[in-house]
Amino acid sequence: MAATSHNNAALSMATLFSRLPAWQGRVLLLLVAAALVWLLQAAMPGPLHTLEEQVGNLGWQINPATQSEQRFSIIAIDEKSLQEVGAWPWSRETMAQLSSRLTEAGVQLQLYDIYFPEANTGDAALADALQRGNAVLSQVPELRNASNTVHSGQLDHAI
């Protein structure tokens, strides 16, 4: 008897879906699925989050990328570079040569986390190379007080 009532309920749901226009049936089915997912997440947030991560990583595990990333590279100044070129900080001329070589290699954007606080004889060559290389230098905020005196290492007033 219980099986008969269960089959009747399933039949009435199927009848309901068959009587609706196709788009309404799809919308109703999506709403029912969303409600079920919401109820499952409310009942078991931890296990479903872990399951979601595992399913999301499955594609990367089954078909991992075999090529190295070509769009982004970090050019770091390492011990070997210091031995070949010399102690840090390098001259503006050396930095200009580095920027020019990166431009010749096809680098589209150069970001430098270097601060050049004082004027130097190699500034023109460096500025030219950085401009051709579409480079961005690190920025240092300048806080000025009423007398336009900048004190290095300390704030003049509250920010």
Side-chain angles (χ1 to χ4, degrees):
M1 181 115 162
T4 305
S5 65
H6 185 54
N7 287 340
N8 288 339
L11 185 60
S12 65
M13 286 293 279
T15 305
L16 173 68
F17 276 106
S18 66
R19 290 184 182 167
L20 291 174
W23 71 272
Q24 287 179 347
R26 289 184 186 125
V27 169
L28 183 61
L29 191 57
L30 284 173
L31 290 174
V32 168
L36 287 173
V37 168
W38 181 78
L39 286 171
L40 282 172
Q41 283 185 329
M44 302 183 302
L48 284 181
H49 181 69
T50 303
L51 178 65
E52 178 187 5
E53 286 180 358
Q54 290 175 350
V55 171
N57 290 335
L58 190 60
W60 297 105
Q61 293 171 356
I62 292 173
N63 188 19
T66 56
Q67 298 176 356
S68 61
E69 178 62 48
Q70 298 295 319
R71 296 176 295 172
F72 184 79
S73 297
I74 295 176
I75 312 301
I77 298 170
D78 59 359
E79 291 299 321
K80 182 180 176 186
S81 301
L82 293 174
Q83 289 175 358
E84 289 178 14
V85 179
W88 185 260
W90 291 341
S91 70
R92 309 287 167 93
E93 291 83 6
T94 301
M95 294 302 295
Q97 289 174 358
L98 173 64
S99 178
S100 295
R101 287 184 181 169
L102 290 172
T103 302
E104 290 167 8
V107 173
Q108 295 177 0
L109 177 65
Q110 300 174 30
L111 303 173
Y112 289 90
D113 188 20
I114 302 170
Y115 177 55
F116 299 106
E118 72 284 339
N120 192 294
T121 57
D123 284 347
L126 179 60
D128 183 52
L130 293 176
Q131 187 174 14
R132 282 184 284 118
N134 195 22
V136 177
L137 292 175
S138 62
Q139 298 179 7
V140 177
E142 184 177 3
L143 302 175
R144 295 179 181 250
N145 62 13
S147 67
N148 287 335
T149 304
V150 176
H151 301 281
S152 178
Q154 63 186 7
L155 293 177
D156 290 350
H157 56 283
I159 296 177

